[in-house]
Amino acid sequence: MESRVLSRTTAIAALPKLFRPSREAASLGVATGVKTPVGLIKDGGSLTWGRQLRPVLLLEPAQIGSICSATRREKTAVQPCRAASGSSGEAKVGFLEKYPALVTGFFFFMWYFLNVIFNILNKKIYNYFPYPYFVSVIHLFVGVVYCLASWSVGLPKRAPIDSNLLKLLIPVAVCHALGHVTSNVSFAAVAVSFTHTIKALEPFFNAAASQFVLGQSIPITLWLSLAPVVIGVSMASLTELSFNWLGFISAMISNISFTYRSIYSKKAMTDMDSTNLYAYISIIALFVCLPPAIIVEGPQLIKHGFSDAIAKVGMTKFISDLFWVGMFYHLYNQLATNTLERVAPLTHAVGNVLKRVFVIGFSIIAFGNKISTQTAIGTSIAIAGVAMYSFIKAKLEEEKRQMKTT
């Protein structure tokens, strides 16, 4: 027994004097001289604060091994990474690395779930409190408070901002505010399903802006794929039972506003992570939305708006509904951004199309909206056109990316 202990002690003591990169060391994720940047993650991510918020657990095992080896490159002793253990020499694979599809699916589910809940709760509020300008301010205000609270605890760490960056973000935030308010005006005026059907035209406005404003060449296949969208929305609008011009025009203005938001966003490309960027845009948009809300709805709210709503549902429910609709609005937007960062462009396109289908379907069920056969057919054609457009655009972008890499 003593001889075995002594032999093991001698072997351990001799380890610092040896440096033999072996097959076992390589299999355990040991540094073998290949240097890998610590912050490098596929799809352009980074582990440093202010760049990327993806958790380390979502990385692939090979990436974890690279990070561990890079942090230990100054050591001379052969040491396996913490991610690798076990008598067989095989790395332990966690649940998140073993089933990445389930993780992505969970993010998509939460994105859809929060979006559907927001739309339903938002419409229920308008049924007893028809003041979309004020409700839009509440959406942004709750989100801003959430961002400030998150910054105060360092989750995430607040990214610095200067006057130059502020000038770039102001046009984006103004378009975001205008699009958000007009969307809510439409939600308050017509059925949720109809507003989302009109908003299915957003790709058409994006293509038109790219062609005629930015001067980018749009392939004929993309234009042809947009024809079903226009035809479907027209069919749905002609027989929509809740149709009125305020809801229709507001949804169209929202499409134009979000299109210009995309244009200005491309001009304001920064290294700031999406969470901080969306927080700053929300803060600016809140200040943009406040004056119209005070001017347009302020006198009515003071005179009878608040009192009527409290009389209908009570003070507690009224405040609770406003708080939760603001939370759902901010969380679904933030989760959508974080979700779409984890997937390919084609999956991004599918996700956006399915989201609109989910919202339209659940809103019809939740409110029992009656729709005509022509409206249903038109909506289906419009959604199919959006799907076709998204697939073609995603493939074109992937081909461009591959050509640049080669």
Side-chain angles (χ1 to χ4, degrees):
M1 183 68 178
E2 293 179 358
S3 62
R4 292 181 182 179
V5 174
L6 290 173
S7 63
R8 291 178 182 177
T9 305
T10 305
I12 294 172
L15 278 178
K17 300 178 181 180
L18 300 176
F19 185 79
R20 297 178 180 176
S22 62
R23 295 181 181 178
E24 294 181 359
S27 65
L28 292 174
V30 179
T32 58
V34 180
K35 296 184 179 180
T36 306
V38 178
L40 185 62
I41 304 175
K42 69 176 183 178
D43 297 333
S46 174
L47 287 177
T48 57
W49 282 111
R51 294 280 184 175
Q52 182 55 258
L53 301 178
R54 300 180 191 175
V56 179
L57 292 177
L58 291 179
L59 300 179
E60 296 178 358
Q63 294 170 332
I64 298 177
S66 299
I67 296 170
C68 292
S69 63
T71 57
R72 292 164 172 79
R73 63 182 178 272
E74 294 181 358
K75 295 186 178 182
T76 57
V78 178
Q79 298 178 357
C81 295
R82 293 182 181 179
S85 61
S87 58
S88 62
E90 296 180 357
K92 285 186 177 180
V93 180
F95 179 83
L96 298 181
E97 300 96 26
K98 192 174 181 180
Y99 303 102
L102 291 180
V103 178
T104 303
F106 174 76
F107 276 102
F108 270 101
F109 170 78
M110 291 302 300
W111 173 29
Y112 292 173
F113 174 76
L114 294 174
N115 198 342
V116 168
I117 296 299
F118 161 75
N119 279 276
I120 292 175
L121 181 57
N122 201 42
K123 183 61 178 180
K124 286 184 176 180
I125 291 174
Y126 290 136
N127 288 337
Y128 69 83
F129 187 68
Y131 298 95
Y133 287 85
F134 178 79
V135 174
S136 299
V137 170
I138 293 298
H139 292 165
L140 295 170
F141 175 76
V142 173
V144 168
V145 172
Y146 176 87
C147 293
L148 294 177
S150 299
W151 279 341
S152 66
V153 296
L155 295 173
K157 184 178 179 181
R158 187 182 69 84
I161 188 172
D162 54 23
S163 58
N164 294 327
L165 181 57
L166 187 62
K167 292 178 182 178
L168 293 175
L169 292 183
I170 286 177
V172 180
V174 170
C175 292
H176 178 72
L178 181 59
H180 179 53
V181 171
T182 50
S183 292
N184 279 286
V185 172
S186 182
F187 285 139
V190 296
V192 174
S193 57
F194 180 60
T195 299
H196 278 278
T197 301
I198 300 300
K199 288 175 71 64
L201 282 172
E202 190 172 328
F204 174 82
F205 288 97
N206 286 334
S210 299
Q211 179 83 51
F212 302 110
V213 178
L214 298 180
Q216 299 176 354
S217 179
I218 303 298
I220 188 63
T221 53
L222 276 181
W223 284 114
L224 292 176
S225 67
L226 288 171
V229 181
V230 178
I231 294 172
V233 171
S234 300
M235 289 178 60
S237 301
L238 290 175
T239 55
E240 172 60 38
L241 300 178
S242 67
F243 178 88
N244 66 56
W245 284 107
L246 177 62
F248 178 82
I249 294 175
S250 298
M252 294 293 283
I253 294 175
S254 175
N255 284 334
I256 298 173
S257 300
F258 286 139
T259 296
Y260 275 93
R261 182 186 66 178
S262 300
I263 294 174
Y264 286 119
S265 295
K266 292 179 181 179
K267 296 180 179 180
M269 294 296 290
T270 66
D271 292 333
M272 190 183 298
D273 67 277
S274 60
T275 302
N276 276 287
L277 192 63
Y278 183 69
Y280 282 121
I281 290 174
S282 297
I283 293 172
I284 300 171
L286 175 61
F287 285 102
V288 174
C289 290
L290 269 174
I294 295 174
I295 296 172
V296 176
E297 297 177 345
Q300 298 177 15
L301 289 172
I302 296 174
K303 186 176 180 179
H304 57 81
F306 292 124
S307 59
D308 288 350
I310 294 172
K312 291 178 181 178
V313 299
M315 175 72 77
T316 302
K317 179 174 175 52
F318 178 55
I319 296 177
S320 176
D321 284 351
L322 291 178
F323 169 76
W324 283 113
V325 78
M327 281 297 297
F328 283 125
Y329 171 76
H330 180 82
L331 291 177
Y332 102 73
N333 275 287
Q334 187 58 68
L335 191 60
T337 303
N338 294 336
T339 301
L340 297 178
E341 283 180 346
R342 290 174 166 82
V343 297
L346 186 59
T347 308
H348 178 168
V350 175
N352 272 322
V353 174
L354 290 179
K355 180 209 73 173
R356 202 169 296 282
V357 174
F358 267 75
V359 172
I360 291 175
F362 276 99
S363 64
I364 292 174
I365 296 173
F367 298 104
N369 297 332
K370 295 181 179 180
I371 59 174
S372 66
T373 303
Q374 183 173 327
T375 298
I377 295 174
T379 301
S380 301
I381 294 174
I383 295 299
V386 173
M388 189 186 309
Y389 169 84
S390 301
F391 293 155
I392 295 174
K393 184 178 180 181
K395 288 184 178 180
L396 291 174
E397 290 179 352
E398 183 65 19
E399 291 176 359
K400 289 182 181 179
R401 188 187 67 81
Q402 291 178 355
M403 290 179 63
K404 290 181 179 180
T405 55
T406 57

